[in-house]
Amino acid sequence: MKTKYILGFVLVIAITLSLGAYSATLGKSELVHFWVAVPAGNVTAPMVLRGAGPPISMSPIVIDLQSRGVLKNLLQPQLEGLSTHWIYNLGKKPVKVKLNLANVPPDIAVDWEVNSGFEFDAATHTFKTPLYPGGSVPNLGIDWVFHIPAYYMDEPVIYDGGLEVIDADTGAVLTFIPIKFVNGAASSSATQGGSCH
Amino acid sequence: MNAKETLIRNRWRYISFVVGFFLFVAPFALFTRAVYLIVGNTAEPTLHSVCFRMPIDWIFGGRFYSIFGSSWFMAAFVFGVIISSIFLGAAFCGWLCPVGAVSEAISRAVPIPNKFRLRIRDTKLTMSMRYGFLVGFIAVAALVGYKLASDQLGSICCRYCASSVLQNFASALFGDLSAIEYWQSGAIISLLFWLVIGGLFMSGGRGWCLFFCPLGAFSGLAHKLGARLGFYRIEHKPESCNGCNKCQDVCPMWAIKEDHNIERTLCVNCKECVHACDAYKLIRGRKIADS
Ligand code: SF4
Ligand code: SF4
């Protein structure tokens, strides 16, 4: 009699862990979430930036569109997204943060969906409030949605650019996180970077 | 029971659900907006601002700085809901939560014959599955949070989120169509489980609540504790029961046991059983149970 309860309990734990494992796969290829900190320079390899505030892990982001979930590839292959909830200033002076997605081909449209505790100028992609050392942009949610035209979908490399985090007052690029969208493992040694945590 | 009777019987609860929608879901999110206004937060509140899962994920994943940092409000909300369940039963689930409300509403609105809808009558089985999910959720939060398996496992919390699907639909309904332009696989799975499998094809429409919501699971435990301590609860009086099982049929949370007592870890305090049968009585105030 008790066996069925134990079975039900264990079965659902197993399903939940499997969903966690599937989430790990999806997290590297669909709506990748990543952390951003300044000043990190050019993030050419996985790194942990330490300074004022918590240590922040960053790495170049390579998204293999072939690794996405079946449902995504079936229903919405031409849209891919990136997201961050975390922009930190680990430096020594306040920074007015401006963001820029570098090297986006003119025929790939990118929607910026921004919600933030700091006022954000959507035209220049700049936060109007300075970010103090050790601080982060409160209640942040930025989604970048890439609209990829059908004729790009067979290219081995679809997007090869990155996110520039710029000091809006001086124009200096404080952090650059390379971002690449590729098609199939042949184009990249490993899909890496980003998670929800 | 026809739709009109259901509407009349549940009128206060349904009004409360509408209020819940305006309190928590953007573009209104009036409750969150008021709190943000008081504390000077200029972010645009959404249903995510009171996420039902993230604070639980943070605690078990060791991210205490999130609880005490800028997201303190989210954590306070979740703890508030759980603690209030000790005294009021899982009233947030039964009366306010927009996620549970929408799936329950869809289940009521679409007339699929009961024989096509799953209902587990063995409350212990339902409970073991509900708490199997909770244990799995906590295990994933800890394994990811403490980096014990952070390459092998990813977040259950954010990847499969009915709240975010609901918020996106609500935003689209109120003019922001971009909210529903991007779908990741986890969101598609959540939508399917929340509204189709859990909503349409599970009796009562509360499949998400039963098997996928850690806040609901903790609220159920809190209610069980509260009832033990003599606080608010619904009790079954066997002397008034004729064994017709109508109570089991109307309970959206499959919380009525074979002996018609209530499994409190599942009950959301919706009072459907009280409306259906005189054998169920509300116990308000503090009164130690005889059951
Ligand atoms: S169980 Fe979760 S989703 Fe369901 S009503 Fe309660 S808080 Fe909402
Ligand atoms: S036991 Fe009664 S009050 Fe509790 S969920 Fe079922 S019908 Fe609602």
Side-chain angles (χ1 to χ4, degrees), chain A residues 79-137:
Chain A
L79 285 193
E80 197 34 78
L82 291 164
S83 177
T84 186
H85 297 287
W86 313 278
I87 299 179
Y88 280 80
N89 180 2
L90 302 195
K92 293 199 169 98
K93 48 181 194 178
V95 177
K96 234 192 221 174
V97 170
K98 175 183 161 119
L99 301 171
N100 181 45
L101 275 177
N103 210 21
V104 181
D107 36 4
I108 293 185
V110 183
D111 295 338
W112 290 59
E113 290 161 18
V114 181
N115 189 12
S116 155
F118 285 170
E119 210 181 323
F120 184 75
D121 180 345
T124 60
H125 302 149
T126 306
F127 293 99
K128 292 188 176 168
T129 315
L131 192 52
Y132 283 89
S136 63
V137 180

Side-chain angles (χ1 to χ4, degrees), chain B residues 108-164:
Chain B
R108 305 254 188 197
V110 181
I112 293 175
N114 275 341
K115 63 178 176 195
F116 296 120
R117 286 183 157 152
L118 174 74
R119 172 184 287 275
I120 300 174
R121 289 194 185 264
D122 183 339
T123 51
K124 277 193 189 148
L125 182 58
T126 310
M127 220 173 53
S128 52
M129 291 167 71
R130 179 177 224 200
Y131 289 96
F133 167 74
L134 186 63
V135 169
F137 182 90
I138 290 170
V140 172
L143 291 167
V144 173
Y146 289 104
K147 302 207 184 314
L148 299 171
S150 45
D151 280 341
Q152 294 82 3
L153 293 171
S155 167
I156 297 280
C157 177
C158 305
R159 186 58 65 179
Y160 309 102
C161 178
S163 297
S164 110

Side-chain angles (χ1 to χ4, degrees), chain A residues 23-36 57-63 80-86 140-144 163 177 179 192-197, chain B residues 48 54 63 155 157-161 164 182 184 187:
Chain A
S23 165
T25 316
L26 299 178
K28 290 172 187 160
S29 55
E30 292 183 29
L31 198 63
V32 166
H33 283 58
F34 60 100
W35 294 67
V36 180
S57 304
M58 286 178 286
S59 66
I61 296 167
V62 182
I63 295 172
E80 197 34 78
L82 291 164
S83 177
T84 186
H85 297 287
W86 313 278
L140 180 68
I142 305 180
D143 289 349
W144 293 275
L163 179 70
I177 302 177
I179 300 169
Q192 50 178 290
S195 80
C196 202
H197 286 272
Chain B
H48 299 289
M54 267 155 62
R63 284 183 56 191
S155 167
C157 177
C158 305
R159 186 58 65 179
Y160 309 102
C161 178
S164 110
Y182 180 83
Q184 50 97 5

Side-chain angles (χ1 to χ4, degrees), chain B residues 6-277:
Chain B
T6 307
L7 264 179
I8 293 171
R9 200 175 62 245
N10 283 290
R11 63 191 176 283
W12 292 115
R13 206 160 68 87
Y14 289 173
I15 290 170
S16 180
F17 278 142
V18 173
V19 171
F21 184 89
F22 282 100
L23 287 179
F24 301 115
V25 182
F28 311 100
L30 299 175
F31 174 73
T32 322
R33 203 173 285 282
V35 176
Y36 276 16
L37 200 69
I38 293 165
V39 300
N41 187 336
T42 56
E44 187 56 30
T46 69
L47 186 51
H48 299 289
S49 316
V50 288
C51 177
F52 305 159
R53 302 163 144 223
M54 267 155 62
I56 298 171
D57 193 74
W58 296 335
I59 290 179
F60 291 101
R63 284 183 56 191
F64 299 104
Y65 58 89
S66 295
I67 294 168
F68 299 112
S70 63
S71 304
W72 66 268
F73 168 58
M74 215 185 254
F77 178 81
V78 164
F79 295 136
V81 166
I82 295 173
I83 290 167
S84 72
S85 303
I86 296 177
F87 307 103
L88 301 170
F92 175 75
C93 299
W95 290 72
L96 282 173
C97 175
V99 175
V102 169
S103 62
E104 192 183 318
I106 285 193
S107 145
R108 305 254 188 197
V110 181
I112 293 175
N114 275 341
K115 63 178 176 195
F116 296 120
R117 286 183 157 152
L118 174 74
R119 172 184 287 275
I120 300 174
R121 289 194 185 264
D122 183 339
T123 51
K124 277 193 189 148
L125 182 58
T126 310
M127 220 173 53
S128 52
M129 291 167 71
R130 179 177 224 200
Y131 289 96
F133 167 74
L134 186 63
V135 169
F137 182 90
I138 290 170
V140 172
L143 291 167
V144 173
Y146 289 104
K147 302 207 184 314
L148 299 171
S150 45
D151 280 341
Q152 294 82 3
L153 293 171
S155 167
I156 297 280
C157 177
C158 305
R159 186 58 65 179
Y160 309 102
C161 178
S163 297
S164 110
V165 174
L166 167 58
Q167 180 58 74
N168 291 347
F169 276 125
S171 300
L173 191 70
F174 288 95
D176 177 12
L177 287 176
S178 70
I180 47 166
E181 75 173 341
Y182 180 83
W183 286 86
Q184 50 97 5
S185 297
I188 303 170
I189 293 170
S190 305
L191 175 68
L192 286 176
F193 189 75
W194 171 45
L195 292 187
V196 182
I197 302 171
L200 290 179
F201 292 103
M202 287 194 185
S203 179
R206 289 277 188 153
W208 181 272
C209 306
L210 280 168
F211 303 119
F212 230 61
C213 179
L215 178 57
F218 273 117
S219 300
L221 290 174
H223 176 39
K224 186 155 185 137
L225 173 71
R228 282 257 167 92
L229 296 174
F231 293 110
Y232 184 100
R233 65 199 178 275
I234 295 166
E235 280 194 351
H236 178 246
K237 304 279 169 214
E239 61 277 14
S240 315
C241 174
N242 65 12
C244 69
N245 284 342
K246 197 170 160 194
C247 52
Q248 287 191 341
D249 294 337
V250 296
C251 175
M253 290 295 286
W254 312 351
I256 313 263
K257 298 181 198 175
E258 216 176 331
D259 62 5
H260 304 114
N261 279 316
I262 292 174
E263 174 45 62
R264 305 205 192 279
T265 52
L266 302 176
C267 173
V268 292
N269 198 5
C270 68
K271 300 198 186 106
E272 280 284 16
C273 50
V274 177
H275 296 308
C277 177

